[in-house]
Amino acid sequence: PSQTGHAGYRIAQPGQDSLSVPGPLVQIDQLTKRFAQGNLAALDDVTASVSAGEVTGLVGPDGAGKTTLLRLIAGLLVPNTGKITVQGLDPVSDARAVHRIVSYMPQRFGLYEDLSVQENLTLYADLRSVTGADRDDAFERLLRFTGLTDFKKRLAGALSGGMKQKLGLACALIKTPDLLLLDEPSVGVDPISRRELWRMVYDLVDQGIGVVWSTAYLDEAERCARVLLLNEGSLLYAGSPQDLTDRVAGRTYQIRHISTDRRKVLSEATKLDGVIDGVIQGSRVRLVLADGAEPPALDLLDAGDQSEMAPTPPRFEDAFMDLIGGGFKANSPFADRQGATTHTIDKVVEANALTRRFGDFVAADDISFDVGRGEIFGLIGPNGAGKSTTFKMLCGLLRPSAGSARVVGLDLQNAPSKARGRIGYMAQKFSLYGDLSVRQNLDFFAGVYGLRGQVRKAAIERMIDTFGLSDKLIVNALSLPLGYKQRLALACAVMHDPDVLFLDEPTSGVDPRTRREFWTHINAMVANGVTIMVTTHFLDEAEYCDRIALIYRSRMIASGSPDDLKESARAHGLEDPTLEDAFIALVEQSDREREAA
């Protein structure tokens, strides 16, 4: 039988819960793909296989070659050298036959947003020649399977992120495939919707369907039977996630009972030669050591007299970071920007009974909190809960129906322009100008923020150096890899040294190394007094926050430090809960209280 992990996820074991099919479902032999002569290979001499009746995780950083490999398997690209077979068929020469047995859900939402749920399903049924009674049965089965029965008439563009992914999955399954290819299906999806997606995928696996799940979220790799780990086009590892995790056994530690600044402790620890990776986990700092290295002496880290270095079980992400050479270890240039934020206001962001209505629908209801100088405050919650609405009211992009919002002492209704001049904002969706180059975007936003002359020139050059954009300056923003898009978006948001930085899903879909780079910069800004507001669905990232508010059904149902929220999950019977466990437990508790009322 399968195991059950945190938050109810099933953790597959190789060969279990599957229908045995002789030989691999997909065989990949010495596969190479280049998109231009002389360029580095997007995939370089990759040999691997995919089995039926299990989930194979396709794991790696942004630009590793995951999407290229999926498109080659689906017959949408032609390899330069090497060979792929899908149930013995060549995706190029036997394309029609392969397309009958393979379904592909692309990374970007590929459906028609101006069509309803039902109309999208009907279109895909037409494309896959599903007719008559088979069509009616498929519609009923898939709407029930995805929980979209009550939303048949809703336009796809009006669905939440999680519901869009469920509709994409339904359309991919309109004709039951032998192989399902999912390209980062959980990007931008909240933990509850992500759990439902995994449940649906395991239902398919129980039917003998082979699933390839591409992801940059390494906690998802632990839920796969096997993983293929790609980096810069090369296959670094193929096997069970547990076997890779075991490679760092005895090399993972937590620094506990820190009484000083945990962000500074992390910064000092990751500078040490024997430390290859480090992250913040609530009040603790997690470290991964190099092979053979001893844990660093705590007096070198200034963690406080009561601090201790305690062994902790390894995770797949620890092993991944070890395999690719460790995390981001450079100092952030923002650490040298002492004095960039000069105000002395204690309550930098204030939300007072914030409410926003759209007709009869209440998107945010009576939300109140405040955020101090140099504090990171997170908003978490399911898709459609009201996080982004609250966020937009706080940075002056949306006028509240009731209540008030203040930033750096300025009322956003009475002095919106002056307040926005003190704010940096990075939107959830890539919101820069895709037809402009990287340099043109930087130059445009420098002008928007009123930077002139030498100040403008210095700010742009600083952003280019900080975010490693020098070799991308003439590239149009839309054609950048996701990690570089996020770097450019953050650069445009902070070049004017804002007092408050609003980050809406800043690292959605970004690989772990780039995520660490982002948080190195953010932590350096916080040390200089910048206040950070962040929304995220990636709850390991929320561990960096000083405090968190959980928004659900338009209301704030819980707030506190990450450790406070995890403690509430422990009260529900979980021995060592994650923040995701706490998220789900609090939402379920809110639902029970609502039903009882």
Side-chain angles (χ1 to χ4, degrees):
S2 61
Q3 298 175 355
T4 301
H6 282 307
Y9 289 109
R10 294 198 313 167
I11 303 173
Q13 303 299 306
Q16 295 182 352
D17 280 345
S18 64
L19 300 179
S20 179
V21 176
L25 181 60
V26 180
Q27 182 62 50
I28 303 163
D29 294 309
Q30 297 180 306
L31 187 71
T32 297
K33 176 63 182 178
R34 283 184 172 84
F35 287 100
Q37 192 67 30
N39 281 14
L40 291 174
L43 289 170
D44 188 10
D45 195 29
V46 172
T47 297
S49 62
V50 174
S51 298
E54 66 181 28
V55 182
T56 299
L58 187 57
V59 182
D62 183 47
K66 302 188 298 296
T67 296
T68 300
L69 182 55
L70 290 179
R71 290 178 176 173
L72 285 162
I73 294 171
L76 302 177
L77 294 174
V78 178
N80 296 101
T81 60
K83 185 178 181 181
I84 300 177
T85 59
V86 181
Q87 286 194 342
L89 302 168
D90 186 306
V92 177
S93 59
D94 303 313
R96 189 180 295 273
V98 167
H99 293 166
R100 282 198 292 267
I101 61 175
V102 175
S103 287
Y104 173 49
M105 181 176 163
Q107 183 176 347
R108 294 180 180 177
F109 184 62
L111 307 182
Y112 292 87
E113 297 203 354
D114 54 351
L115 296 182
S116 68
V117 168
Q118 182 64 65
E119 288 167 339
N120 269 286
L121 287 170
T122 299
L123 173 62
Y124 273 76
D126 289 342
L127 292 173
R128 300 302 295 266
S129 301
V130 179
T131 60
D134 290 341
R135 172 186 292 230
D136 294 337
D137 290 344
F139 289 166
E140 182 182 355
R141 172 175 52 84
L142 291 170
L143 288 169
R144 185 176 64 253
F145 179 61
T146 56
L148 293 174
T149 303
D150 294 335
F151 302 95
K152 290 189 293 185
K153 297 182 180 179
R154 183 172 295 185
L155 294 182
L159 297 173
S160 69
M163 292 170 72
K164 283 181 177 179
Q165 296 300 75
K166 291 176 188 177
L167 176 58
L169 184 59
C171 289
L173 296 172
I174 200 74
K175 193 166 188 176
T176 303
D178 293 327
L179 174 65
L180 177 62
L181 306 175
L182 302 175
D183 196 355
E184 305 211 15
S186 57
V187 168
V189 172
D190 66 78
I192 293 174
S193 296
R194 190 160 64 131
R195 180 174 63 169
E196 291 172 350
L197 281 172
W198 274 99
R199 176 188 57 76
M200 288 186 283
V201 164
Y202 271 119
D203 285 345
L204 299 172
V205 166
D206 287 342
Q207 300 170 35
I209 294 173
V211 177
V212 180
W213 180 299
S214 164
T215 183
Y217 294 149
L218 298 187
D219 62 320
E220 293 188 332
E222 295 176 335
R223 299 164 189 150
C224 300
R226 296 180 68 252
V227 293
L228 306 177
L229 201 160
L230 292 171
N231 190 46
E232 297 181 349
S234 297
L235 182 66
L236 300 186
Y237 175 79
S240 78
Q242 188 60 52
D243 286 347
L244 185 63
T245 303
D246 288 343
R247 295 188 184 189
V248 292
R251 293 198 273 142
T252 52
Y253 290 82
Q254 280 184 340
I255 306 175
R256 300 174 180 173
H257 310 303
I258 298 171
S259 57
T260 57
D261 184 350
R262 70 197 194 285
R263 289 188 258 273
K264 186 176 180 181
V265 171
L266 173 65
S267 177
E268 293 302 315
T270 53
K271 292 175 185 176
L272 301 175
D273 289 339
V275 177
I276 62 170
D277 187 40
V279 295
I280 286 175
Q281 292 186 310
S283 63
R284 301 172 178 180
V285 171
R286 182 186 189 91
L287 302 179
V288 182
L289 306 185
D291 194 13
E294 292 295 323
L298 287 169
D299 57 0
L300 295 176
L301 305 178
D302 189 26
D305 294 338
Q306 303 301 314
S307 62
E308 65 171 350
M309 185 77 68
T312 192
R315 307 175 303 175
F316 182 84
E317 183 164 320
D318 302 325
F320 172 86
M321 298 306 297
D322 178 54
L323 197 60
I324 66 171
F328 183 79
K329 294 177 73 74
N331 282 333
S332 170
F334 290 105
D336 301 323
R337 298 285 294 165
Q338 297 288 340
T341 301
T342 57
H343 72 84
T344 57
I345 295 171
D346 290 332
K347 294 183 179 180
V348 181
V349 177
E350 298 175 79
N352 298 306
L354 275 181
T355 300
R356 175 66 195 197
R357 301 181 186 89
F358 296 95
D360 295 332
F361 175 68
V362 181
D365 187 8
D366 195 30
I367 293 174
S368 298
F369 57 81
D370 56 66
V371 188
R373 183 177 186 272
E375 184 179 13
I376 303 178
F377 190 90
L379 292 179
I380 62 175
N383 293 106
K387 302 185 306 297
S388 292
T389 299
T390 302
F391 216 61
K392 289 175 181 177
M393 288 190 286
L394 286 168
C395 54
L397 297 176
L398 194 61
R399 192 178 184 88
S401 304
S404 63
R406 297 174 68 86
V407 174
V408 200
L410 299 169
D411 190 303
L412 283 164
Q413 293 195 51
N414 298 332
S417 297
K418 191 173 181 181
R420 281 196 289 265
R422 311 284 291 273
I423 289 171
Y425 176 67
M426 181 177 167
Q428 179 178 351
K429 294 182 179 178
F430 183 64
S431 58
L432 305 185
Y433 291 90
D435 293 333
L436 298 183
S437 70
V438 168
R439 180 175 282 281
Q440 288 168 333
N441 268 286
L442 291 169
D443 193 57
F444 173 78
F445 278 90
V448 167
Y449 289 125
L451 304 182
R452 300 287 183 267
Q454 288 301 313
V455 173
R456 178 183 188 141
K457 182 179 179 182
I460 291 174
E461 291 304 316
R462 190 171 71 250
M463 293 301 101
I464 292 170
D465 292 342
T466 298
F467 294 101
L469 299 172
S470 59
D471 62 342
K472 305 288 184 183
L473 293 177
I474 63 173
V475 178
N476 278 13
L478 193 62
S479 61
L480 289 170
L482 176 60
Y484 278 97
K485 284 181 179 177
Q486 300 296 75
R487 287 189 181 104
L488 176 59
L490 184 56
C492 290
V494 302
M495 66 167 60
H496 62 303
D497 291 323
D499 296 319
V500 185
L501 180 58
F502 287 85
L503 303 173
D504 198 359
E505 300 278 351
T507 64
S508 180
V510 169
D511 65 85
R513 179 180 273 173
T514 303
R515 190 178 302 123
R516 283 156 174 73
E517 176 188 345
F518 266 51
W519 281 97
T520 298
H521 296 317
I522 291 168
N523 288 337
M525 285 186 263
V526 168
N528 290 329
V530 177
T531 298
I532 308 290
M533 287 282 301
V534 60
T535 70
T536 182
H537 286 315
F538 185 67
L539 295 187
D540 279 3
E541 181 172 75
E543 299 269 18
Y544 283 87
C545 297
D546 297 295
R547 289 185 296 136
I548 298 170
L550 174 53
I551 310 295
Y552 182 52
R553 293 188 174 183
S554 308
R555 298 185 66 87
M556 189 169 77
I557 64 169
S559 65
S561 71
D563 287 349
D564 290 338
L565 268 61
K566 285 185 281 189
E567 189 62 35
S568 70
R570 190 174 282 110
H572 287 77
L574 292 171
E575 183 177 341
D576 186 23
T578 65
L579 193 52
E580 184 168 315
D581 293 328
F583 177 106
I584 292 170
L586 288 165
V587 165
E588 290 176 344
Q589 178 184 332
S590 177
D591 282 338
R592 288 193 297 270
E593 291 172 353
R594 187 184 183 97
E595 290 173 4

